[in-house]
Amino acid sequence: MQQIIDRRLAGKNKSIGNRERFLRRHKEQIREAVKRAIDGRGIRDIERGEEIHIPKRDLSEPVFGHGQGGVREIVHPGNQEYIRGDRIERPKGGGGGGSGSGQASDQGEGEDDFAFALTKEEFMQVFFEDLALPHLVRTQLAEVPEWKTHRAGFSSDGTPNNLHVVRSMRGAIGRRIAIGAASRRELHEMEDRLAVLKAELQPGDAVAEREIEALEEEIARLRARVERIPYLDPIDLRFRNRVRVPVPTSKAVMFCLMDVSGSMDEARKELSKRFFILLYLFLTRHYERIELVFIRHHTQAQEVGEHDFFHARETGGTVVSSALVLMEEIIRARYSPSEWNIYGAQASDGDNWHHDSGRCRELLGDKLLPLVRYYAYVQVAEEEQNLWEEYTQLQAGHRHFAMRKATSADQIYPVFRDLFKKEGKQAA
């Protein structure tokens, strides 16, 4: 059996297989390095590669060796410098194996560390490992459904690349047998009769000779008829037949709600942006059929594009319920829950107009949570704000509602992994 190994994607002096095995073997060290890298990055450079350092002690591997027991025959190589009884001088420069030429480092890295670079794709693979949209289910057929190809037997029409040689030859053999069976049977009878006549032929018997001559002409005619039967006819060709059948589509929409009121200073907005940047990269990487809806709110809510969501400087008071009302209106107008998996993620400092927080709890509990698969609330302030207190009452009664706090940049990544970890997995 011939085996073909495609190495076109491998660079010069590189092995993709060896690299993948190395990444799997030192998965934990790489994951920790990625987590440290995320904590120190800005929003604009979050999606790039990283140089990873692994201490040499973590690269050790088990080694098998022979024990001292048993009977063994060993041949040691000789030497021209020493004989038994010679005293060997101590190595100069101390007994250590170091070169003494290394440079001091304040980064916890030294010459004994193994350093290598993660590509952008490898970095993002580790970054989003074990994450998924919770409770994603197959919905009904969309207006433009996904199609899956199934085998449906064989057909007499098709393209050359779908030609089934065995089926075609089987049909050709059957056709030749069916068409030429009568002629071959008659031919065999005549050949047997001819053999008998030739055996009984007497010298000078003109009648028998004429009968043999006529019989040979008939045999020649029948053989020509059998030979004219084509070996392979177009009606023998059989092609693999494949049909397209619609399959249910996993369609999802994620609503991103961000507070841009006056109480949200630049630091808190930066934390919110970090959370949504992670969410945006995660969704667009893992799901091809997913839509994002960006909603900014202060006293009024507005659906905006991606650029305005992250960079507009508009500000004002705080009425959180306006964003929830707008989210419900958009769902009713464009995203039927029977066809879409609906998700929501909200980031705020929790400081809301006091009389509005109760309405937010009612809107979320009575109208939005019954429509969504999952809703995550991230508070970018440590204080127990009135909105956090109201949302806490919802958390106990709704399995698909989660809320967390993140007050510094290094907390965003753990909170994100905790909110969107795969079902049955523990967050890293």
Side-chain angles (χ1 to χ4, degrees):
M1 181 177 66
Q2 185 180 18
Q3 183 178 7
I4 299 176
I5 301 176
D6 187 357
R7 299 190 183 276
R8 289 175 296 178
L9 298 179
K12 184 179 180 181
N13 300 325
K14 295 180 181 179
S15 172
I16 294 177
N18 290 341
R19 184 175 182 87
E20 291 178 349
R21 283 192 295 271
F22 179 83
L23 295 178
R24 290 194 302 268
R25 184 176 302 168
H26 304 286
K27 188 175 181 179
E28 293 301 324
Q29 293 94 329
I30 294 174
R31 182 182 297 175
E32 289 299 322
V34 169
K35 188 182 300 184
R36 292 193 301 269
I38 289 299
D39 294 341
R41 288 189 180 184
I43 292 177
R44 297 182 183 275
D45 61 347
I46 197 169
E47 191 180 10
R48 60 177 173 81
E50 179 70 16
E51 184 171 311
I52 303 297
H53 293 266
I54 299 180
K56 186 177 180 180
R57 63 179 181 273
D58 293 338
L59 298 176
S60 59
E61 299 180 358
V63 178
F64 293 94
H66 294 287
Q68 296 299 322
V71 179
R72 295 181 297 158
E73 293 183 1
I74 302 176
V75 178
H76 292 285
N79 68 85
Q80 298 179 355
E81 298 181 20
Y82 306 105
I83 62 174
R84 179 176 294 183
D86 286 351
R87 298 178 64 87
I88 302 175
E89 295 182 2
R90 184 186 301 274
K92 296 180 181 180
S99 63
S101 60
Q103 299 294 324
S105 172
D106 61 350
Q107 303 297 324
E109 304 162 3
E111 290 186 352
D112 287 341
D113 287 352
F114 178 77
F116 69 99
L118 280 181
T119 65
K120 170 184 171 182
E121 188 67 23
E122 291 170 342
F123 182 87
M124 300 308 293
Q125 181 68 31
V126 176
F127 181 73
F128 290 121
E129 189 179 26
D130 297 334
L131 300 183
L133 285 179
H135 316 298
L136 185 70
V137 298
R138 294 284 181 181
T139 54
Q140 70 179 29
L141 293 180
E143 294 181 0
V144 184
E146 293 181 354
W147 297 89
K148 188 175 182 179
T149 303
H150 288 280
R151 291 183 179 180
F154 301 91
S155 65
S156 57
D157 297 323
T159 57
N161 60 312
N162 286 328
L163 178 65
H164 197 286
V165 177
V166 176
R167 283 276 182 170
S168 300
M169 295 305 299
R170 187 184 302 174
I173 293 173
R175 175 186 53 78
R176 292 200 304 271
I177 292 175
I179 294 177
S183 297
R184 278 189 291 270
R185 187 183 309 112
E186 186 178 357
L187 178 62
H188 291 158
E189 293 175 355
M190 289 185 177
E191 289 176 343
D192 293 340
R193 182 181 175 188
L194 178 62
V196 172
L197 289 176
K198 287 183 176 181
E200 297 176 352
L201 178 64
Q202 298 296 328
D205 191 348
V207 176
E209 290 178 356
R210 286 195 297 269
E211 185 177 358
I212 289 175
E213 184 178 353
L215 198 56
E216 288 177 345
E217 293 178 357
E218 185 66 20
I219 289 174
R221 185 183 62 81
L222 286 176
R223 282 178 178 171
R225 180 190 299 178
V226 172
E227 290 175 356
R228 283 197 298 269
I229 298 176
Y231 182 79
L232 186 66
D233 194 87
I235 64 173
D236 301 327
L237 300 181
R238 292 296 179 267
F239 301 86
R240 298 180 185 89
N241 187 29
R242 293 181 173 88
V243 295
R244 297 172 63 213
V245 295
V247 296
T249 302
S250 290
K251 297 195 304 182
V253 55
M254 171 65 79
F255 285 83
C256 302
L257 287 68
M258 184 167 68
D259 186 355
V260 293
S261 61
S263 60
M264 290 282 289
D265 56 20
E266 287 302 320
R268 292 177 177 178
K269 289 180 181 179
E270 182 77 8
L271 292 179
S272 301
K273 290 178 183 180
R274 283 179 177 268
F275 176 76
F276 286 117
I277 284 289
L278 296 183
L279 182 60
Y280 176 77
L281 292 175
F282 166 61
L283 295 178
T284 54
R285 176 182 177 83
H286 281 74
Y287 299 96
E288 295 181 358
R289 298 184 58 82
I290 189 164
E291 294 190 12
L292 300 176
V293 178
F294 298 101
I295 298 178
R296 291 165 50 96
H297 73 87
H298 39 82
T299 55
Q300 296 180 348
Q302 181 182 8
E303 181 181 0
V304 296
E306 176 188 342
H307 182 271
D308 292 339
F309 183 79
F310 290 118
H311 301 100
R313 297 185 177 276
E314 185 181 2
T315 186
T318 310
V319 180
V320 178
S321 62
S322 61
L324 302 180
V325 170
L326 179 58
M327 177 178 173
E328 184 194 7
E329 292 175 354
I330 295 175
I331 291 175
R332 301 293 185 188
R334 297 175 358 214
Y335 303 103
S336 171
S338 61
E339 300 178 3
W340 291 83
N341 293 283
I342 304 173
Y343 297 87
Q346 180 182 0
S348 172
D349 62 349
D351 185 13
N352 189 26
W353 182 43
H354 182 73
H355 298 288
D356 186 62
S357 296
R359 184 169 182 239
C360 290
R361 173 177 52 81
E362 294 176 357
L363 285 171
L364 191 59
D366 298 339
K367 295 186 176 182
L368 289 180
L369 289 183
L371 303 178
V372 301
R373 301 285 179 195
Y374 193 69
Y375 193 96
Y377 171 68
V378 177
Q379 181 167 301
V380 291
E382 186 63 36
E383 298 81 6
E384 297 292 340
Q385 302 287 2
N386 49 19
L387 187 61
W388 178 273
E389 295 175 354
E390 294 290 342
Y391 279 0
T392 303
Q393 302 178 31
L394 294 174
Q395 192 173 16
H398 295 84
R399 184 175 60 90
H400 51 285
F401 174 70
M403 48 193 299
R404 300 290 187 275
K405 287 183 180 180
T407 57
S408 59
D410 60 346
Q411 295 178 1
I412 291 294
Y413 183 55
V415 165
F416 177 80
R417 292 190 65 89
D418 189 28
L419 289 174
F420 292 96
K421 62 179 181 291
K422 287 184 179 179
E423 299 177 47
K425 293 272 188 179
Q426 295 294 328

